[in-house]
Amino acid sequence: MSHDAPAGRSRESSSMSVEQPSDEVRELFGVAFAGAERFAEMLVSEGELRGLVGPRELPRLWSRHIVNSAAVVPFLPARGTVADVGSGAGFPGIVIALLRPDLEVSLIETMERRVAWLQDVALELDLDNVTIRRARAEEVRDRFDAVTARAVANLTKLVRITAPILRRGGCLLALKGAKAEVEAEAAKYVIKKAKLDPAIIHEVVTPGEELTKVVEVRRPKR
């Protein structure tokens, strides 16, 4: 992939317009950039064919998906285990695994073709900190230090399905859009019933001045 155009500008590739990462994005990913770039290349060449991303998503692949996924990373624990629920194409799970090779990342996905894709990506990127599990969150019996989710369900449902797999002191980190506050308000009763702390909404400005909201719901340590 060419690196001349910043995020938000594009070039023609295989009859489609593909966004190129800016210098700011390269700096954000640091030593993980090569892996992120290869991940993007795989999505461009196979993502639409395998039903992972729509053609309209490719022009903003970096800003809308890859960089957006990175917004959750500052809130991850210093050490331990992470479960990415409903990993799909690998957002944010693959991005987390690239940026935090010190964490053990479980990608939880129900659909067989998506599981096959995640296996291909983990092998291609040599992600030895990744475990891929074909399961629903409700079927998982392990406990994790953090659980992440993006475009899976509203916060009320997310809390219901992820609270049981949160360790004491662990947190749910949900990537949300403009309706984050509305969802957090609607989920208040479910959060309280699950004996979790009230939701905190973090606003993260990613490269390209994109605003991403990360909703954090934590299980108390005691």
Side-chain angles (χ1 to χ4, degrees):
M1 296 175 98
S2 168
H3 314 301
D4 299 331
R9 299 175 65 185
S10 57
R11 65 176 174 82
E12 289 298 314
S13 175
S14 302
S15 76
M16 69 182 74
S17 185
V18 181
E19 183 179 36
Q20 299 301 297
S22 66
D23 290 341
E24 195 177 0
V25 170
R26 290 164 168 272
E27 185 177 346
L28 173 68
F29 279 86
V31 296
F33 179 76
E37 185 178 44
R38 180 64 189 126
F39 180 39
E41 289 171 349
M42 292 178 74
L43 283 162
V44 169
S45 62
E46 302 179 54
E48 185 182 355
L49 182 67
R50 295 174 71 158
L52 298 160
V53 291
R56 294 182 181 180
E57 300 300 301
L58 290 172
R60 295 191 64 200
L61 180 62
W62 279 93
S63 56
R64 190 167 184 176
H65 296 288
I66 299 175
V67 174
N68 176 266
S69 293
V72 77
V73 171
F75 310 103
L76 293 169
R79 62 182 66 84
T81 58
V82 177
D84 184 40
V85 173
S87 285
F91 305 120
I94 292 294
V95 176
I96 289 170
L98 283 166
L99 285 168
R100 289 294 306 276
D102 55 320
L103 294 175
E104 293 297 321
V105 182
S106 292
L107 308 181
I108 300 173
E109 172 58 52
T110 59
M111 195 173 293
E112 186 175 3
R113 63 181 172 82
R114 291 176 180 169
V115 168
W117 161 260
L118 293 169
Q119 290 170 337
D120 289 347
V121 172
L123 184 64
E124 175 69 21
L125 303 184
D126 195 23
L127 295 173
D128 57 9
N129 62 327
V130 165
T131 301
I132 299 156
R133 302 171 67 166
R134 188 182 178 192
R136 297 165 65 218
E138 300 92 320
E139 298 167 343
V140 176
R141 294 291 173 262
D142 298 353
R143 299 290 184 272
F144 299 90
D145 298 297
V147 177
T148 59
R150 179 179 184 268
V152 174
N154 63 45
L155 191 62
T156 298
K157 183 176 181 181
L158 271 179
V159 170
R160 286 195 180 112
I161 66 176
T162 62
I165 62 175
L166 280 177
R167 284 182 178 153
R168 289 183 181 178
C171 63
L172 165 65
L173 297 167
L175 281 158
K176 292 291 180 181
K179 295 182 179 179
E181 289 83 1
V182 174
E183 288 193 30
E185 180 65 26
K188 280 173 66 174
Y189 174 74
V190 171
I191 291 171
K192 185 176 181 179
K193 187 177 180 181
K195 298 181 180 179
L196 305 176
D197 290 338
I200 299 171
I201 299 173
H202 304 280
E203 294 190 346
V204 182
V205 179
T206 55
E209 301 301 314
E210 296 277 348
L211 177 65
T212 299
K213 295 183 180 182
V214 179
V215 181
E216 176 183 343
V217 183
R218 186 171 294 277
R219 182 176 294 287
K221 292 182 179 180
R222 300 174 64 181

